[in-house]
Amino acid sequence: MPGKRKETMPEEAVERPAAEQFVQVSPADGAMPDGREPTPEEMEAMLEGKNRTHFEGLGDAWAVLTGQNPAEVVPQVVGTVMHEGGTRPAWQWKRGGRDHILLAWPQDQPVRASVLVAGEEGGKLAPVSAVPLLDGLPNDLTVEEAHPWENGLGANVAVSMIEGKNPMWFFDPLYGRDRDDLTPGITHTFLLAGLAYGLRKALLDEVTITQGPKFEAYAEAWLAENPGASRLDVPPLKVKVAGRHMIMPGRRFCEYQMRAVIEEVQDCQLEKMPVKLLYLSFPFENREPMRLALYVSKMVLGDFEPEKGQEVDAYVWLQARIIDIDQGPQQ
């Protein structure tokens, strides 16, 4: 049976560490995706999930969400969270003789800034990490594996959508709490969300593939149907993408290129920064659709105004956590 946790408790105030303490954010390596169309070879590699890396940093996420330099804005965000933020019983746990509490702010928005504070049991707590916390939509997913970050405060988690298919990866900001439950083969209800690093109205109706396993299979079938033709006669493989829901691995684990139709649009904000919340779904033949809450900042949107029914292309960083329960974890 899926391990399900219900998110019901309001945030509550706790004793906070000094606001002048803050967390250093690792800088992101490399530039953002440049928005150009992938070559056929790049498309084939993306479909197969090749050349991906586990990047252990949140600079990109803070940059696109706030539109500011993470090194400058995160200390301010952390100070605000520790003064104004609250917590929930499900965001508190003990491990290895240390207390851990996740503070989040603002209380009334689905997109929050969060700070994890930790310290010796019963002692003073200090901030150890700062993460954009995204409320997601519930999906029953089966754990495949976890890649803990070196700092031990988060992890990239792989889950299977369909048995035998490549797993999907997301970042778990509450890995310290979820760790013991992330057993391969066990199904949990996860709150799945995404932060858009790029978003635009869908442009391509089809892509052209000229090499790779898919093209080789196509070429073999075409040559069998056209005796006397040579390899040079094989036309390019054209794959129609208009109207399709697609998820393709990005350049790092937890990052994906997606195409979907917007089902609903809501407005929210992080302090004074406007954020659009888009509801997307991805249908499957033999299981329930995957449902995704996608957050898009003003910096990413620019002048684009997403609307219900629009088909969009997006480059997305995925985040999820096991659904929160209304009681603290067992000690």
Side-chain angles (χ1 to χ4, degrees):
M1 293 291 291
K4 297 187 178 181
R5 296 179 172 179
K6 188 175 181 181
E7 184 172 353
T8 58
M9 298 298 291
E11 286 114 14
E12 57 188 25
V14 298
E15 183 179 354
R16 299 172 180 82
E20 62 270 13
Q21 302 179 61
F22 58 86
V23 181
Q24 293 184 347
V25 178
S26 301
D29 64 342
M32 294 288 186
D34 57 16
R36 66 178 174 83
E37 300 300 339
T39 65
E41 293 76 15
E42 289 172 332
M43 178 68 75
E44 189 68 32
M46 286 187 292
L47 288 169
E48 297 177 9
K50 293 181 178 178
N51 306 319
R52 287 189 293 171
T53 59
H54 283 289
F55 176 66
E56 300 184 8
L58 297 167
D60 285 359
W62 282 115
V64 299
L65 186 58
T66 65
Q68 301 179 53
N69 183 342
E72 297 176 358
V73 71
V74 170
Q76 302 171 28
V77 170
V78 170
T80 300
V81 172
M82 290 192 295
H83 279 112
E84 306 292 338
T87 187
R88 297 175 178 174
W91 295 351
Q92 305 172 34
W93 66 94
K94 297 181 184 291
R95 186 178 297 278
R98 292 174 62 83
D99 289 325
H100 299 79
I101 298 177
L102 186 77
L103 301 170
W105 172 90
Q107 180 176 340
D108 60 349
Q109 294 292 318
V111 54
R112 300 176 174 93
S114 72
V115 175
L116 178 64
V117 295
E120 295 299 321
E121 190 170 343
K124 185 177 181 180
L125 303 181
V128 293
S129 70
V131 183
L133 188 67
L134 312 174
D135 278 359
L137 297 177
N139 290 269
D140 288 347
L141 305 169
T142 302
V143 178
E144 290 279 335
E145 63 176 297
H147 175 86
W149 284 20
E150 187 175 350
N151 61 17
L153 302 174
N156 297 341
V157 177
V159 294
S160 61
M161 302 291 297
I162 300 176
E163 187 175 356
K165 299 295 184 180
N166 289 336
M168 180 181 72
W169 290 82
F170 56 73
F171 173 72
D172 184 352
L174 282 168
Y175 172 69
R177 180 200 71 179
D178 294 342
R179 185 172 71 181
D180 292 342
D181 294 324
L182 295 174
T183 303
I186 301 299
T187 299
H188 295 284
T189 300
F190 290 90
L191 297 175
L192 181 64
L195 179 64
Y197 287 177
L199 183 87
R200 69 181 182 193
K201 187 175 181 180
L203 300 178
L204 288 179
D205 291 329
E206 64 180 19
V207 295
T208 301
I209 299 176
T210 58
Q211 66 179 37
K214 291 183 182 297
F215 180 78
E216 293 302 324
Y218 156 77
E220 182 179 351
W222 189 90
L223 289 170
E225 295 174 358
N226 296 272
S230 72
R231 173 74 181 211
L232 295 176
D233 297 322
V234 179
L237 170 61
K238 295 184 180 295
V239 179
K240 294 187 180 298
V241 295
R244 295 181 60 182
H245 294 71
M246 298 189 299
I247 305 175
M248 297 183 294
R251 62 196 180 107
R252 300 169 180 162
F253 288 97
C254 306
E255 295 179 5
Y256 289 86
Q257 294 200 38
M258 297 182 172
R259 172 171 288 207
V261 176
I262 299 173
E263 298 179 352
E264 185 180 346
V265 181
Q266 291 184 3
D267 291 304
C268 52
Q269 62 182 30
L270 180 60
E271 197 178 20
K272 298 179 180 179
M273 297 170 284
V275 179
K276 293 285 187 182
L277 172 53
L278 312 182
Y279 290 94
L280 311 176
S281 65
F282 297 84
F284 292 86
E285 290 184 0
N286 300 316
R287 59 156 291 148
E288 292 296 315
M290 186 188 86
R291 302 170 62 235
L292 178 68
L294 179 61
Y295 295 83
V296 193
S297 68
K298 179 62 178 177
M299 188 196 84
V300 170
L301 281 174
D303 295 330
F304 178 53
E305 189 68 25
E307 299 176 357
K308 180 179 178 179
Q310 280 182 333
E311 190 173 6
V312 292
D313 291 327
Y315 193 88
V316 176
W317 173 68
L318 292 182
Q319 178 188 117
R321 63 184 188 268
I322 295 177
I323 195 167
D324 300 331
I325 58 174
D326 55 5
Q327 296 178 350
Q330 294 182 354
Q331 307 301 321

